[in-house]
Amino acid sequence: KIRQLEKKNLELADKIDNLTILSNGSTSLLETKKIKSEKNIYEINTYKLPFLGQPPGQKPGAYLAQTEDKVVVVSGKGEFFSFKKEELGLNNINIKKINSNIKSLILENDFYADRSSSIKDLLILNNKIYFSYSDKRSQECYNTSIISSDLNFENLEFSKFFSSDECIPNKRNKTSTLHVGGKMLPFKNEKILFTIGDNHVRSTPQKKNSMYGKIISI
């Protein structure tokens, strides 16, 4: 019980810190340290972002993507923020929340709770922003899909960009929102490389007609 209370206290302290960041619109430099390699010395600056980390094995903490002058951050459950690159290294960074229509597109409760159903990657390309996520297609049946929006630092209007009709039901009490892939990278000829995991069904990557366990171009 003491450990549970200690954990709860830490969570509440994090929430207070995050609310302070959101109300002030800025976050302070936590620490600066230097790391030496054989040829260089790197200065590492650490800032706190305005959302909680997740328990091990559950929802990812956050993903980053960048434009020429800004960085966009998204939490595992779809909270978007941005800040200017030129402020990195300062004692305070101004963090701006970006509104979005994500809750009208993703209706699954587990996506917004401390579960593994989540955003899996973030990509900015040609003035568009993309994120991949665990897409619940039916009861206990998920695949990995992509949603996109024109890049707008005030409000993001997302719509479905890519999804497969193939869906693997949850089997053997395995969590079908793990082993899902979701990595996106720019590719040649205006294409995106996209990884799709096996959703804990390890026979599917061996099947040529299955989307699972593959790297595809879109």
Side-chain angles (χ1 to χ4, degrees), residues 100-108 112 147 156-158:
S100 81
N101 64 334
I102 185 172
K103 288 189 176 181
S104 67
L105 295 174
I106 303 176
L107 305 178
E108 182 203 359
Y112 305 102
I147 283 178
L156 296 169
E157 288 290 331
F158 287 105

Side-chain angles (χ1 to χ4, degrees), residues 69-117:
D69 59 347
K70 290 184 179 181
V71 175
V72 175
V73 188
V74 63
S75 71
K77 56 186 177 182
E79 302 161 300
F80 288 86
F81 299 87
S82 70
F83 58 87
K84 294 180 180 179
K85 286 184 181 178
E86 64 185 21
E87 295 184 354
L88 290 170
L90 301 178
N91 288 331
N92 288 281
I93 288 180
N94 293 308
I95 294 181
K96 183 178 179 181
K97 183 174 177 61
I98 306 174
N99 296 318
S100 81
N101 64 334
I102 185 172
K103 288 189 176 181
S104 67
L105 295 174
I106 303 176
L107 305 178
E108 182 203 359
N109 290 331
D110 280 356
F111 183 90
Y112 305 102
D114 292 340
R115 302 288 188 272
S116 56
S117 177

Side-chain angles (χ1 to χ4, degrees), residues 171-185:
K171 295 181 179 180
R172 300 186 300 278
N173 294 319
K174 295 288 187 179
T175 305
S176 56
T177 51
L178 296 173
H179 291 205
V180 301
K183 181 67 179 177
M184 297 176 292
L185 286 171

